[in-house]
Amino acid sequence: MKSHQPKQLKTQLFSCGFFRQCGQTVLSPTATGTTPQPPQPPPPPLPLTHTHTSTTCESSTSSSSNSATSQSFTQWRFSLPTPTPPPTPNTPPPTTTHHHLPFLSTIPNLQELFHVSDLQLTTDLNAALHLLERSLVPNPPQDQPPCPPNLMRALIHNLRESKPATKILFALCLSEANRRVAVEAGAVGAVVESAPELEGPPAERALAALELMCTVPEGAEEVRAHALAVPVMVTVMGKTGARGKEYAIGVLAVIYGGDMADQQTAPPEEVARAVELALQGECSARGKRKGGQLLKTLQQLSNPHSHDTS
């Protein structure tokens, strides 16, 4: 039993070393095998004090390290948005848009709309076009203030890339004043050159705007002078719907009905065949009526002498 007593005492001291009251329990007279001895200060307190101090130091060091790490993470987490640019260029500013939407029914408000959109061109072209689409397209008046030339040029330069561009151009061309602005900005040539690449409603709206521009003398002169106007109109008549055919026939009627009709390089016979094919397919009532008038004009141009003798 004596050989096992030190191990038992050591084991109890080790297991209870962190609690001071355990020393008395180990030296209690109830312990078996040896004669009780007077209580003496146990040697473990120094290691315990050292261990506690070490533990306290380690805990303090760990706490300090954790505090520094937490502070570092907090600074890193909240400092990220500072160098990152705000994502406003990718989305149209809602405050400006919604501020002007309720006030676009009168002429002064349209003038303000054009001014705001013109200013937005320098920062976000798409935001300016979408603002015009939401504000002007749903109910475009015929009496409009002049569109800023810079805004009109930006619009026609994006006929192929921007979906709202053809909607806005058509809405603007409902006003005679803005038809002239569009012609001066080069919209006639832009529509003629981009029409073959457009399909569906965008193509129809672009052709409708072109026909409206032909109602002012400057627009009619521009379309007659454009070398691609006739072949492009013949091409789009074969691939567009009823409305697209109607507008293309209207543009051809302007070209061949003017004083410069004899200067066109496209033979009237070929154009007449294309018009006849277009009228055989789906076509609106207005398109058929204008197509019949155009066929008569083309026949007269093909046989000028027979027309004189008759």
Side-chain angles (χ1 to χ4, degrees):
M1 292 294 294
K2 292 183 179 180
S3 62
H4 296 285
Q5 182 64 24
K7 294 184 178 180
Q8 182 179 3
L9 178 61
K10 181 179 180 181
T11 302
Q12 292 180 359
L13 284 174
F14 178 78
S15 61
C16 300
F18 288 96
F19 304 95
R20 296 181 181 274
Q21 67 271 17
C22 291
Q24 297 177 0
T25 304
V26 174
L27 300 176
S28 175
T30 58
T32 58
T34 59
T35 303
Q37 297 180 0
Q40 296 179 356
L46 287 177
L48 286 176
T49 304
H50 176 72
T51 304
H52 178 69
T53 305
S54 175
T55 304
T56 304
C57 294
E58 291 177 0
S59 175
S60 176
T61 305
S62 175
S63 176
S64 176
S65 175
N66 291 336
S67 177
T69 305
S70 177
Q71 184 178 5
S72 175
F73 174 78
T74 304
Q75 293 175 352
W76 168 80
R77 184 178 60 183
F78 290 99
S79 63
L80 279 179
T82 302
T84 304
T88 51
N90 296 332
T91 56
T95 303
T96 303
T97 301
H98 294 293
H99 174 73
H100 293 284
L101 280 177
F103 307 97
L104 294 176
S105 58
T106 60
I107 296 301
N109 291 324
L110 281 178
Q111 189 171 5
E112 184 180 359
L113 169 68
F114 293 155
H115 177 68
V116 172
S117 301
D118 192 19
L119 292 177
Q120 281 188 331
L121 293 178
T122 57
T123 57
D124 194 339
L125 173 63
N126 290 329
L129 295 182
H130 284 293
L131 176 61
L132 285 170
E133 179 188 16
R134 291 189 299 268
S135 306
L136 178 64
V137 171
N139 188 23
Q142 294 184 357
D143 190 7
Q144 303 174 11
C147 178
N150 189 40
L151 180 60
M152 182 68 75
R153 283 191 293 268
L155 176 66
I156 64 179
H157 289 163
N158 289 271
L159 289 177
R160 298 183 181 93
E161 292 79 10
S162 178
K163 289 184 178 180
T166 56
K167 298 180 183 179
I168 301 168
L169 179 62
F170 174 68
L172 290 173
C173 287
L174 292 175
S175 167
E176 182 176 353
N178 281 325
R179 294 174 206 169
R180 299 181 186 276
V181 175
V183 172
E184 293 175 359
V188 171
V191 172
V192 169
E193 295 167 10
S194 62
E197 303 178 19
L198 300 176
E199 296 180 356
E204 294 177 357
R205 289 190 293 263
L207 293 172
L210 180 60
E211 186 180 6
L212 287 172
M213 285 185 282
C214 291
T215 60
V216 297
E218 300 87 349
E221 293 177 3
E222 287 284 340
V223 75
R224 290 171 187 149
H226 203 293
L228 297 177
V230 173
V232 166
M233 294 302 108
V234 171
T235 301
V236 297
M237 277 194 308
K239 68 174 188 176
T240 57
R243 291 297 182 185
K245 293 177 183 178
E246 171 189 336
Y247 304 137
I249 290 174
V251 174
L252 288 173
V254 171
I255 294 174
Y256 284 96
D259 297 335
M260 301 177 64
D262 55 344
Q263 299 183 17
Q264 299 301 319
T265 56
E269 298 85 356
E270 296 183 5
V271 179
R273 284 194 292 269
V275 173
E276 290 175 353
L277 290 175
L279 295 177
Q280 291 175 4
E282 182 183 5
C283 191
S284 65
R286 178 176 177 268
K288 291 180 179 180
R289 184 176 67 254
K290 294 187 72 68
Q293 297 173 356
L294 177 59
L295 286 176
K296 292 180 180 180
T297 302
L298 293 173
Q299 290 174 359
Q300 294 173 359
L301 294 174
S302 300
N303 303 300
H305 299 292
S306 62
H307 176 68
D308 294 338
T309 56
S310 61

